[in-house]
Amino acid sequence: TSDGGLGTITFNGTGAQTYSVASGAPRTCKIAVNKTSGGVSPAGGTNDFYMQGFTQTLGDFTAPTGIMNVGGALQTTQTIFSHVAGTFTHNNGTTVFNPIQSSGANATYTVDIINTTVFNNVTVNETQSWGTATLASGAGDTLDVVDDLVFTDGRSTAVFEVAGNVTVQSGHDGGNGLLIFKNGNSQSFDLTGATTNFDGDIKVRKTANNVSLMSDLQMDAANQDLFLVKGDMVVPSLNMIIIGDNVTATGGSDSSFVDGRVRKIGNDAFTFPIGKNDTAYAPISITAPTNVAHHFTAEYFQVDPNPSYDVTSKVASLDHLSRCEYWILDRTNGASNVLVTLSWGDRSCGVTALADLRVARWDGTQWQDHGNGLTTGTTASGTVRSSAAVTSFSPFTLSSTTVNNPLPIELLSFNAIPNGKKVDLNWSTASEKNNDFFTIERSKDAQLFEFVAHVDGAGNSSELTDYVAVDPQPFSGISYYRLKQTDFNGEYSYSRIVAVEFSSSIQDFLIYPNPADAQDGFIIELSTFFETYELTIMDVAGKKLYEYKGNEQRLQVNEEFAPGVYFIQYSDSESRTINKKMIIK
C-alpha cells in the first residue's frame, strides 16, 4: 500500500542489492543508486517497479523486465530521472515517465542522462488534472530508445531517437521535441488515435529500410521541419503528409523521400520531396500560392502513364511524352495559379536536348503543352519549368517537341523469372529510337549494381520486339535486376527494378533408389536451391564415410558401400540440419 512520497531511498552498500515489490502497483519514494561496488537488480518474481523519481550517480542498476514507472504525484518542476555515472541496464523492459500533476502551475519534468544511457521501450504518460505537464530532456541530451515509443499523455519537448515503432495516442498534448527514426529495421509512425498534431521536428536517419506512416501526419507548428536524411517515409494511399504554412521539408534525395501523397498548405514556394520504389527521387515544385489557406497535393508514379492517360492524344506541338513516369498535382483548395517545375534523373528514361523539353499536362482528353520557361542541370539530371502559371491541375509528365529526348524506348515489360538455379530475364519494346544495346544489371541491395549480360538493340523500330537473357549465377536470397538501355550517342536510361528470391530454407531432400544396390550408387536431390551446403554419410557407429561441400541441387553418389544401414546428414551455413536413413542391399 506504499503511496510514494518525496523522501529518498539510497542504495549505497558495497555488495549486490535487490529490490522486491508486492502484488499490485505500490509506489516507493525517490530511488538513488550511489554504490562504490556491486549493483542493484530486481529480486526474483519482481517484474514492475514504481518510484517517485530516480537518480544514479555511481554503481550499476538493472531495471525490471516489466514496467519501471517513474513519477507519481508531483506538483513542481524537477528532474525525475537522472543518470550521471555507472551502468543503467534496461533489461528489455518499459520505462514509463509518469509525473502526475494534480495542482500548481504548469510544470516541466526533466530526464537528464549520459551518452551511454539506453532505454528499451518508453511511454510518456504525464497524467494531469491541473495545468499541462511537459517532459523535457537535459541540455544536449538525446533519449535513445531501442524499441517502441508511445506518447500517451502530456506534452514533450524531449529529443527521442527511436529504433522501433512510434505511437501517438489521444492524450498527447503536443510539444516541440525532435523525433529521430534510426537504425536499419522497418518502423511505423501511428497517429491514428491522436487528437492533436505532433508539433516537433521529424528526422528520418536510418541505415536501411523505411518508416511506414499509419495515418495522416499534419505538420503545421511554428518552425517545424521534416528532415529526410536516409530512408523513406512510406505513406499508404488513404493517408498523406500535410506540410503547413512556413513548415519546411529538406534533404530529399534518392536515399530519402516520401513515397506517397504530400499536401502543402500556405503561400510558400515548395518542392514536394516525393519519389517511388526506394531509389527514385522525383521532386515536383510550385511557386508560391497567393493565399496562406490555399493548398496543393502531389504524388509521383514511376509507371507508364499510358493507357490511363493516352500518350497518343496530345496537342500538335508535342512529338512524344514520357512512358515511364508521371506526377499527380492537384490544387486541393483555393484558386492560386502557380508555375510547375518537373525534374528528371536516371529514372526518367533519357534526356538528350534540354531546349526541346516541355511540361505536359493531361486535361482529361489530351496532353497540353505548358512550355519550357527554364531548365536547370544537365542531360543526366535537372528540372524544367512551365513557361506560364498553370491554371488547371491533373497529371503532369515530361514531353519533347522533337524526336530528341527519347523518354524512352517504349518498354512494355521487364520480367525476371527464377528457373532452377538461374534467372530468365525477358522484356519487350513497343518502339525504339536510336537504340544501340541493352545491359542487364544485378544487385544485392537495389543500390549497387553489377553487369550480367549485354543484348544488342533494334536501332529504330515501330514494331513489338521481344528480348531474352539469362543470369546463370543469381545471389542466394534476393537478387534485384534492372535494364539499362543505351543509345548510339551514349545516352542511357534505366527500367524499373524487379526482384527474384531464391529460398535458402531447404525443406527436405530425397534419396533414390532407397534401398540402393552396393555397386550402382544413388542420387540425393534437394527440394530447393542453396548456395553452399554440406552432406555427410555415416555408418551406424557414427564414422564418416563420405563428405560433400557445394551447391549441387542433384548429387550423384557413386561410392561403393557395404550392405547395411547408413545415415545421411544435410547442414548449411544457417545451422539447419536434416538427417535421413538409407539402406544399401
Side-chain angles (χ1 to χ4, degrees):
T1 58
S2 175
D3 296 317
L6 300 181
T8 301
I9 296 174
T10 301
F11 288 92
N12 64 357
T14 58
Q17 295 178 267
T18 63
Y19 54 90
S20 57
V21 179
S23 60
R27 186 181 298 275
T28 186
C29 58
K30 296 180 179 180
I31 293 295
V33 179
N34 185 24
K35 296 169 62 62
T36 57
S37 62
V40 179
S41 59
T46 295
N47 299 316
D48 301 330
F49 194 21
Y50 288 68
M51 64 190 75
Q52 201 86 4
F54 177 81
T55 300
Q56 184 177 352
T57 55
L58 191 64
D60 300 334
F61 178 84
T62 299
T65 56
I67 294 173
M68 178 174 169
N69 189 302
V70 184
L74 301 168
Q75 284 77 47
T76 59
T77 291
Q78 58 190 276
T79 297
I80 61 169
F81 186 101
S82 175
H83 182 200
V84 178
T87 300
F88 173 83
T89 302
H90 59 64
N91 207 11
N92 297 319
T94 298
T95 301
V96 180
F97 297 116
N98 180 221
I100 303 171
Q101 185 178 346
S102 57
S103 64
N106 295 343
T108 297
Y109 303 101
T110 301
V111 179
D112 191 4
I113 59 173
I114 56 179
N115 290 338
T116 59
T117 311
V118 176
F119 300 99
N120 186 45
N121 296 308
V122 168
T123 297
V124 178
N125 184 26
E126 299 156 292
T127 307
Q128 51 209 300
S129 58
W130 184 283
T132 300
T134 299
L135 185 77
S137 49
D141 290 348
T142 297
L143 308 189
D144 187 354
V145 183
V146 298
D147 208 337
D148 296 341
L149 170 64
V150 179
F151 293 98
T152 299
D153 203 353
R155 299 176 71 249
S156 173
T157 61
V159 178
F160 281 100
E161 188 172 35
V162 185
N165 300 324
V166 178
T167 304
V168 182
Q169 297 182 346
S170 60
H172 178 64
D173 298 309
N176 61 359
L178 169 63
L179 174 60
I180 304 169
F181 290 92
K182 68 165 187 175
N183 283 12
N185 51 301
S186 296
Q187 295 176 265
S188 66
F189 189 21
D190 189 355
L191 299 95
T192 304
T195 54
T196 59
N197 296 337
F198 187 87
D199 293 336
D201 292 345
I202 297 171
K203 181 178 291 188
V204 180
R205 189 181 65 198
K206 299 173 59 59
T207 56
N209 285 306
N210 301 315
V211 179
S212 295
L213 190 61
M214 310 306 291
S215 57
D216 286 348
L217 169 61
Q218 183 152 350
M219 302 179 66
D220 60 7
N223 301 314
Q224 193 174 15
D225 295 291
L226 172 64
F227 299 99
L228 298 167
V229 181
K230 185 171 176 57
D232 302 336
M233 290 200 75
V234 179
V235 184
S237 59
L238 297 178
N239 303 326
M240 72 174 73
I241 296 178
I242 304 169
I243 307 293
D245 187 42
N246 296 322
V247 176
T248 61
T250 60
S253 68
D254 285 341
S255 298
S256 188
F257 52 78
V258 177
D259 185 342
R261 289 191 300 164
V262 174
R263 174 170 292 172
K264 180 64 176 77
I265 303 173
N267 58 351
D268 313 315
F270 188 71
T271 297
F272 293 84
I274 53 179
K276 200 69 81 178
N277 299 327
D278 277 342
T279 58
Y281 176 54
I284 184 172
S285 304
I286 58 173
T287 52
T290 57
N291 188 289
V292 295
H294 293 177
H295 53 72
F296 291 78
T297 304
E299 185 173 5
Y300 172 71
F301 298 88
Q302 195 182 19
V303 295
D304 187 348
N306 199 59
S308 298
Y309 312 105
D310 185 1
V311 297
T312 65
S313 179
K314 60 188 186 301
V315 296
S317 60
L318 299 179
D319 180 77
H320 62 281
L321 297 109
S322 173
R323 296 294 301 274
C324 61
E325 62 183 344
Y326 68 92
W327 294 260
I328 296 291
L329 175 65
D330 289 327
R331 184 172 55 194
T332 42
N333 185 59
S336 292
N337 301 322
V338 296
L339 296 171
V340 175
T341 300
L342 307 181
S343 64
W344 70 83
D346 285 347
R347 65 175 202 276
S348 299
C349 307
V351 169
T352 59
L354 274 59
D356 297 344
L357 284 173
R358 295 294 184 269
V359 173
R361 178 185 62 85
W362 177 256
D363 68 359
T365 303
Q366 64 179 350
W367 287 94
Q368 297 292 330
D369 182 354
H370 283 275
N372 179 338
L374 177 70
T375 59
T376 67
T378 67
T379 55
S381 64
T383 65
V384 57
R385 190 177 71 187
S386 61
S387 56
V390 179
T391 59
S392 297
F393 296 86
S394 49
F396 288 81
T397 195
L398 295 164
S399 62
S400 183
T401 59
T402 70
V403 294
N404 293 322
N405 301 302
L407 296 174
I409 297 300
E410 295 187 27
L411 186 67
L412 295 179
S413 63
F414 174 52
N415 300 298
I417 303 169
N419 182 5
K421 296 181 182 179
K422 65 183 190 300
V423 172
D424 292 336
L425 301 129
N426 60 75
W427 64 99
S428 300
T429 62
S431 64
E432 300 182 26
K433 297 176 183 178
N434 303 315
N435 179 25
D436 189 3
F437 61 90
F438 295 98
T439 308
I440 297 291
E441 297 180 343
R442 175 186 63 201
S443 172
K444 285 185 176 182
D445 58 8
Q447 296 190 41
L448 297 176
F449 283 83
E450 62 186 29
F451 173 85
V452 174
H454 170 105
V455 178
D456 289 335
N460 295 288
S461 171
S462 58
E463 298 179 349
L464 177 67
T465 307
D466 296 322
Y467 295 90
V468 294
V470 174
D471 180 9
Q473 294 180 314
F475 299 119
S476 177
I478 298 178
S479 294
Y480 297 92
Y481 296 92
R482 68 182 182 186
L483 183 67
K484 179 180 179 182
Q485 179 273 319
T486 303
D487 293 336
F488 289 115
N489 64 2
E491 299 288 343
Y492 60 86
S493 59
Y494 290 103
S495 73
R496 67 187 178 94
I497 297 172
V498 297
V500 170
E501 181 173 8
F502 279 100
S503 172
S504 60
S505 178
I506 185 171
Q507 302 297 320
D508 199 1
F509 65 85
L510 299 176
I511 308 168
Y512 58 91
N514 188 12
D517 290 329
Q519 292 80 25
D520 294 342
F522 52 90
I523 294 171
I524 299 173
E525 186 167 329
L526 279 65
S527 60
T528 56
F529 169 71
F530 192 82
E531 189 170 12
T532 301
Y533 65 91
E534 294 184 9
L535 204 72
T536 304
I537 301 177
M538 298 170 287
D539 62 17
V540 291
K543 182 181 179 181
K544 294 181 180 180
L545 304 177
Y546 176 87
E547 291 183 276
Y548 169 80
K549 184 174 183 180
N551 62 1
E552 291 295 326
Q553 188 171 357
R554 187 175 185 273
L555 184 64
Q556 175 75 48
V557 180
N558 294 318
E559 302 289 326
E560 290 191 14
F561 294 94
V565 176
Y566 297 87
F567 295 94
I568 300 179
Q569 182 181 77
Y570 162 94
S571 62
D572 59 40
S573 60
E574 297 187 20
S575 300
R576 282 180 287 261
T577 62
I578 299 176
N579 295 283
K580 286 200 170 184
K581 182 174 71 173
M582 73 164 297
I583 298 172
I584 299 294
K585 60 184 181 179

